[in-house]
Amino acid sequence: MEPIYFDTAKILKAISDPKRLRIVDMLSCGELCACKILEAFRITQPTLSHDMKVLLEAGVVKDRREGKNTYYALNREHLADFERTLMNIMKPKANCICHNEGCCN
């Protein structure tokens, strides 16, 4: 199977969790300190660290450190690629995968 499906599935899996999806929504307004994200949820710091690690590894967010604080922002370039890929997967096309797999009439 092509890497495009694994990469896309990784992002979808990362944002399929409602809490992580809410974090993405929060970051849509701009960069936030981890402490501000933590304030919005009733979770422990290790739980937030895990969720942010999932989002980072999927390429959904990027981080930067400033002193003791970590700041997170959406990885807009990667998300734009993801959006284009997802739209390409879902749109009808002349070279549809089903023609190659022999499942279309």
Side-chain angles (χ1 to χ4, degrees), residues 18-34:
K19 180 174 15 99
R20 289 193 290 260
L21 190 56
R22 184 167 183 234
I23 291 169
V24 169
D25 193 9
M26 290 171 66
L27 294 174
S28 69
C29 298
E31 182 182 70
L32 287 174
C33 178

Side-chain angles (χ1 to χ4, degrees), residues 32-40 48 69-72:
L32 287 174
C33 178
C35 58
K36 293 294 182 188
I37 299 170
L38 195 56
E39 288 174 9
L48 178 63
N69 294 323
T70 303
Y71 291 84
Y72 294 97

Side-chain angles (χ1 to χ4, degrees), residues 11-80:
I11 295 171
L12 290 169
K13 184 176 180 183
I15 62 174
S16 69
D17 177 87
K19 180 174 15 99
R20 289 193 290 260
L21 190 56
R22 184 167 183 234
I23 291 169
V24 169
D25 193 9
M26 290 171 66
L27 294 174
S28 69
C29 298
E31 182 182 70
L32 287 174
C33 178
C35 58
K36 293 294 182 188
I37 299 170
L38 195 56
E39 288 174 9
F41 297 93
R42 292 184 177 190
I43 58 174
T44 63
Q45 190 278 327
T47 300
L48 178 63
S49 291
H50 169 75
D51 286 323
M52 298 314 296
K53 180 181 177 186
V54 171
L55 292 170
L56 280 163
E57 288 177 352
V60 175
V61 299
K62 53 188 176 180
D63 64 346
R64 70 175 181 87
R65 296 192 68 78
E66 188 174 296
K68 290 193 248 178
N69 294 323
T70 303
Y71 291 84
Y72 294 97
L74 292 180
N75 186 344
R76 295 199 184 272
E77 290 175 18
H78 191 70
L79 289 172

Side-chain angles (χ1 to χ4, degrees), residues 80-95:
D81 290 342
F82 165 71
E83 182 180 6
R84 283 189 295 275
T85 299
L86 201 54
M87 293 308 295
N88 190 46
I89 288 171
M90 291 189 213
K91 74 178 181 183
K93 47 201 163 285
N95 62 342

